[in-house]
Amino acid sequence: MEDSKEKQYNVQLYPIYKMISWDLLFYYSIAFLFLTQVKQISAADVLLAEACYPIFRLILIMPLTALCTKIGKRKSLIVANIMNAFSIFSYLIAQNLVYVIIGQLLSAIAFNMKGVTETNLLYDNLPKDEKRGLKFSKIDGNGTSWYYYIDGIAAVISGFLYVWNGYLPFVLCLICCILSTILAFKFKETENIKQKEFSMRQYMKNLRYSFRYLFQSKRLKYLLLFGGTLSALFACLVSLRSGTLEQLGVPEQYFGIIFAVLGVVSGISARNQNRIHNRYRNKTLAYLALPTTITCIIIGFCIAGKLPYYVALFIILFSFLIQYLAKGPFYTLIRRYLNNFTTATARNKITSSFNLMESIMRAIITLLASACLRITTTSNTILVIGCILTIVFVLLLDKMRTKVGLKPEEYPKKEIEFLEIN
């Protein structure tokens, strides 16, 4: 009975925690400006540091997954949020590129650990019944939508504060990281952690076998590849959107307002992720991915065509709107699809695999964007990435038609048995 009360408490706390902690507040709308204008670090070096982030995540995912397994989800969340606070602090005291790269390293540690533990903590604390997946998507979706609303408000505030004092938005971001750490401490420990000697060699061996088993499931294989690629694209577009507005000549003081409105749009779509799933069913991922890549192509041609300023601005902002509508429900839905038909043991392996795949694809896409930016404009870079990933998603969707999004009885028996056993 006591354990049940603790799980219920964790479920009630989770959306409040996610509202503050899912990602960095007061950060993204002014981060590029802060590093280039206040800290006098060149734009090329900032992009180089950002390219290091997915590489750090890729290198660290295996040992950090082992650490999370060893110390448990609650302690992992605490450590992750502390690392996020130190990451922001490194930007505040940055004197050169080294500080920024250290910040990216600390951020990679934080978000690797958060990625392994956050959604699994919620899923593990929900009752094991037929409505578990629906409850998960509703609670996680609420937390996500609340985050987007607060992020929108924070973006507007950070824009005005930046004009007054460039350090203030980062100070508020640091305060939010500290608050996230306090909330992480409030979670109750509900899992039994077996303390045993840790061997990295044995862990690597076991993880290699886990990935091998996971990729025996055609459904999981395509979900991991598709979800990892789309997640990587959303991450890469964060910096490219700011570069596009700057190339178009939009005054910098309006950046915060623009991204605030777009954040609210993501919040609304995240709250309605279950309606989106019910409407599009097995075509949901297609309706999230293809409009995102096609709008990238439209943005590229819009600026290349040298349209009148206000016409180009309207088309670009409308394209951003579509991208944010797709981004809102994506993270909850992909976790829901990956967790279907699984056990707690399998979910840890699947989460680690997804984070690994996301890091690989983000490193590839970010390095491609970085290489393009050295020889051409931001709009042309978005155009190239949009064309390539449209082709990739079309090919993946064609392969997924008979392997993903089916009813349980339509999957081969061995597919469901494999997920239940592992």
Side-chain angles (χ1 to χ4, degrees):
M1 183 66 69
E2 187 66 27
D3 183 61
S4 177
K5 289 182 179 179
E6 290 181 344
K7 287 186 176 182
Q8 185 178 4
Y9 172 82
N10 286 346
V11 170
Q12 292 173 347
L13 177 61
Y14 181 85
I16 300 173
Y17 165 83
K18 186 158 189 175
M19 175 180 64
I20 302 296
S21 313
W22 188 44
D23 209 340
L24 299 173
L25 296 170
F26 299 97
Y27 176 81
Y28 291 104
S29 62
I30 54 87
F32 185 81
L33 298 177
F34 176 79
L35 294 174
T36 54
Q37 296 180 2
V38 177
K39 293 299 181 178
Q40 296 295 306
I41 298 173
S42 70
D45 283 343
V46 172
L47 290 173
L48 176 62
E50 289 184 2
C52 291
Y53 173 81
I55 297 174
F56 287 145
R57 289 200 64 174
L58 183 60
I59 294 171
L60 295 172
I61 182 63
M62 292 184 180
L64 289 175
T65 300
L67 177 63
C68 292
T69 302
K70 184 176 178 64
I71 67 176
K73 297 180 180 65
R74 177 180 174 273
K75 292 180 180 178
S76 297
L77 283 186
I78 294 170
V79 173
N81 285 288
I82 291 173
M83 290 296 103
N84 250 348
F86 278 118
S87 172
I88 298 303
F89 183 72
S90 72
Y91 299 140
L92 280 169
I93 64 172
Q95 298 178 8
N96 52 49
L97 178 62
V98 174
Y99 287 81
V100 182
I101 293 177
I102 291 173
Q104 294 290 340
L105 172 61
L106 295 172
S107 182
I109 294 172
F111 282 100
N112 264 343
M113 298 182 74
K114 285 161 67 72
V116 170
T117 56
E118 279 184 338
T119 54
N120 285 340
L121 183 145
L122 172 61
Y123 209 91
D124 290 348
N125 281 275
L126 289 171
K128 297 179 181 179
D129 54 33
E130 66 276 4
K131 295 184 178 180
R132 195 181 194 186
L134 178 61
K135 292 176 182 176
F136 167 83
S137 61
K138 183 178 180 180
I139 295 169
D140 190 70
N142 284 341
T144 302
S145 65
W146 294 346
Y147 163 81
Y148 280 125
Y149 299 148
I150 291 181
D151 184 52
I153 297 171
V156 174
I157 295 173
S158 63
F160 287 108
L161 289 179
Y162 180 80
V163 175
W164 184 24
N165 187 315
Y167 283 89
L168 287 178
F170 267 72
V171 171
L172 289 177
C173 184
L174 178 59
I175 292 172
C176 288
C177 290
I178 295 172
L179 179 59
S180 297
T181 305
I182 295 172
L183 289 173
F185 269 105
K186 290 185 174 294
F187 280 109
K188 306 294 185 182
E189 189 65 77
T190 59
E191 59 181 329
N192 294 321
I193 306 168
K194 297 180 180 179
Q195 298 295 339
K196 57 184 179 180
E197 290 297 320
F198 172 70
S199 168
M200 176 58 75
R201 179 178 296 179
Q202 184 62 38
Y203 172 76
M204 295 287 285
K205 180 180 179 180
N206 292 339
L207 192 62
R208 186 172 65 252
Y209 286 141
S210 296
F211 290 150
R212 185 183 301 172
Y213 285 132
L214 286 176
F215 277 87
Q216 288 179 5
S217 166
K218 293 181 180 179
R219 172 183 169 276
L220 279 181
K221 178 173 65 176
Y222 284 111
L223 274 177
L224 289 170
L225 183 57
F226 191 99
T229 304
L230 185 52
S231 179
L233 174 60
F234 283 135
C236 185
L237 285 175
V238 171
S239 296
L240 293 178
R241 290 191 192 100
S242 295
T244 300
L245 293 177
E246 186 178 17
Q247 182 182 348
L248 186 63
V250 177
E252 295 171 351
Q253 60 265 31
Y254 296 127
F255 281 33
I257 297 174
I258 291 171
F259 290 121
V261 173
L262 293 173
V264 172
V265 169
S266 275
I268 295 172
S269 64
R271 179 176 286 274
N272 289 279
Q273 47 78 29
N274 199 54
R275 291 182 180 179
I276 294 171
H277 166 76
N278 290 335
R279 179 172 181 178
Y280 298 113
R281 292 291 176 180
N282 60 348
K283 295 181 180 179
T284 301
L285 291 178
Y287 279 99
L288 297 180
L290 293 181
T292 302
T293 57
I294 291 172
T295 50
C296 288
I297 297 173
I298 292 172
I299 290 169
F301 279 123
C302 181
I303 296 184
K306 297 182 179 180
L307 298 176
Y309 174 79
Y310 287 106
V311 175
L313 179 62
F314 174 81
I315 294 174
I316 289 172
L317 292 181
F318 185 75
S319 297
F320 287 175
L321 178 70
I322 293 174
Q323 292 172 0
Y324 271 76
L325 281 171
K327 179 182 177 182
F330 165 73
Y331 294 99
T332 296
L333 289 176
I334 192 64
R335 297 287 184 179
R336 175 179 176 179
Y337 299 154
L338 287 168
N339 285 336
N340 283 342
F341 320 124
T342 61
T343 63
T345 302
R347 284 193 294 276
N348 286 334
K349 297 176 183 177
I350 291 169
T351 301
S352 297
S353 299
F354 178 77
N355 292 337
L356 182 63
M357 181 63 71
E358 180 188 26
S359 296
I360 292 172
M361 298 311 301
R362 185 168 176 178
I364 293 172
I365 294 173
T366 305
L367 289 173
L368 173 62
S370 179
C372 289
L373 284 171
R374 294 184 183 278
I375 59 176
T376 188
T377 62
T378 305
S379 60
N380 289 338
T381 299
I382 292 181
L383 174 62
V384 170
I385 291 175
C387 290
I388 293 174
L389 291 186
T390 298
I391 296 172
V392 169
F393 284 132
V394 168
L395 293 176
L396 282 174
L397 288 167
D398 182 61
K399 293 286 187 180
M400 292 166 63
R401 278 186 302 134
T402 57
K403 300 176 180 67
V404 178
L406 309 179
K407 296 178 181 178
E409 61 271 15
E410 293 176 334
Y411 284 104
K413 185 178 180 181
K414 62 179 182 179
E415 178 86 12
I416 302 299
E417 289 177 346
F418 164 82
L419 292 172
E420 291 176 344
I421 292 172
N422 292 282

